[in-house]
Amino acid sequence: MNATDVRERVLALGDPERARISQGFFKTGPGEYGEGDVFAGVRVPVLRKLACECRALPAEGMIRLLRDPVHEVRLLALLLMVQAYRQGEAGAQERIYRAYLQHTRFINNWDLVDASAEHIVGAWLSGRDKGPLVVLANSPCLWERRIAIVATFYFIRRGDFSATLRVAEQSLHDTEDLIHKASGWMLREVGKREQKVLEAFLKKHGKRMPRTMLRYAIERFPEPLRLGYLRGARMDGHS
């Protein structure tokens, strides 16, 4: 099986009506964040199943798929890369990580980032210097900035919140709603594990956080506490 075979299988699974709906859902119109993207109309569970069936595809085939104009083909490529990363030795993992960062222009919608950043970028940087996250977080590219914050989910799951807090702080002045949502999501995940860590971040930054980021971050707080933050109350002394 080669990349052409895999691509043809994806297209054969497409549904024109689902593709039409996806074009709107993923904001592919002029001036929108997904402008010009093309959908075949394949459901994610179907792509995950196909990824398991195509796991033997060589790395160069995955990269070829990642460069494809069809959204679901790129998503399949990322699912295959995540599988290959998990199964690979350190050398193979590093090659996948570097290939990923060399092709971020093709990882150009939120679902593509969210399906892969944690499992490749986060996984590779675990136990290593987090400097690449700072570079990504300062990128002019929206999707690289989202990769930076979503990648930290790997550390959050392992009880390490420092990178998340650092990248979230960098994103306080970001102008993109998709970054506000991702940062708030990651902060919420920190709070689910250590609420006091999140509250310390909110005490320092809450009054200047973008409203969307704040709402996402405090979504699971008890109602009085959540409303207090939304109203700008400091809630000092809450335990």
Side-chain angles (χ1 to χ4, degrees):
M1 180 178 292
N2 58 35
T4 299
D5 297 329
V6 175
R7 183 180 193 273
E8 289 178 354
R9 289 188 65 180
V10 174
L11 298 183
L13 293 165
D15 175 353
E17 178 59 18
R18 178 167 293 279
R20 185 190 65 78
I21 294 170
S22 295
Q23 297 281 154
F25 183 73
F26 287 99
K27 307 297 183 185
T28 62
E32 295 181 311
Y33 61 73
E35 181 176 358
D37 206 352
V38 177
F39 284 78
V42 186
R43 296 171 62 90
V44 174
V46 174
L47 291 172
R48 291 192 181 278
K49 183 173 184 283
L50 184 57
C52 292
E53 296 171 4
C54 301
R55 64 175 69 246
L57 185 71
E60 58 268 24
M62 297 178 196
I63 297 303
R64 183 176 168 189
L65 295 177
L66 185 57
R67 295 170 176 162
D68 198 89
V70 176
H71 186 98
E72 291 94 338
V73 175
R74 299 198 304 282
L75 178 53
L76 178 63
L78 292 166
L79 296 175
L80 288 167
M81 290 172 73
V82 168
Q83 282 183 171
Y85 185 96
R86 287 172 172 163
Q87 296 165 2
E89 302 295 333
Q93 291 178 337
E94 182 175 8
R95 287 190 292 273
I96 292 168
Y97 163 75
R98 297 198 181 283
Y100 185 94
L101 292 186
Q102 289 165 3
H103 291 82
T104 53
R105 65 190 181 278
F106 301 104
I107 308 168
N108 57 353
N109 216 310
W110 58 264
D111 63 320
L112 303 179
V113 172
D114 296 358
S116 59
E118 170 193 357
H119 307 295
I120 295 176
V121 177
W124 177 255
L125 294 178
S126 182
R128 295 182 171 89
D129 174 47
K130 304 300 189 295
L133 293 181
V134 177
V135 174
L136 289 167
N138 285 314
S139 170
C141 173
L142 159 65
W143 306 116
E144 290 191 346
R145 301 200 304 277
R146 188 166 176 115
I147 287 169
I149 187 64
V150 175
T152 70
F153 205 174
Y154 189 90
F155 318 135
I156 293 171
R157 293 185 193 276
R158 289 153 182 81
D160 180 0
F161 312 130
S162 56
T164 304
L165 300 178
R166 182 177 183 183
V167 176
E169 187 170 5
Q170 284 183 255
S171 69
L172 289 172
H173 302 293
D174 204 293
T175 60
E176 293 287 351
D177 191 58
L178 284 171
I179 301 301
H180 302 164
K181 290 177 178 178
S183 297
W185 168 28
M186 290 300 107
L187 289 170
R188 183 176 72 235
E189 292 297 330
V190 169
K192 283 164 62 175
R193 292 157 175 84
E194 290 288 347
Q195 184 169 313
K196 289 183 178 180
V197 173
L198 174 54
E199 289 202 62
F201 184 90
L202 294 173
K203 183 174 182 179
K204 184 176 181 182
H205 301 295
K207 290 180 182 289
R208 61 192 182 100
M209 285 173 69
R211 189 74 168 180
T212 297
M213 186 190 301
L214 177 62
R215 292 182 73 92
Y216 271 60
I218 64 177
E219 191 175 72
R220 293 174 62 92
F221 277 9
E223 189 68 3
L225 182 61
R226 190 182 70 83
L227 291 175
Y229 278 112
L230 289 175
R231 293 168 182 153
R234 294 181 61 85
M235 305 297 288
D236 290 343
H238 176 82
S239 58

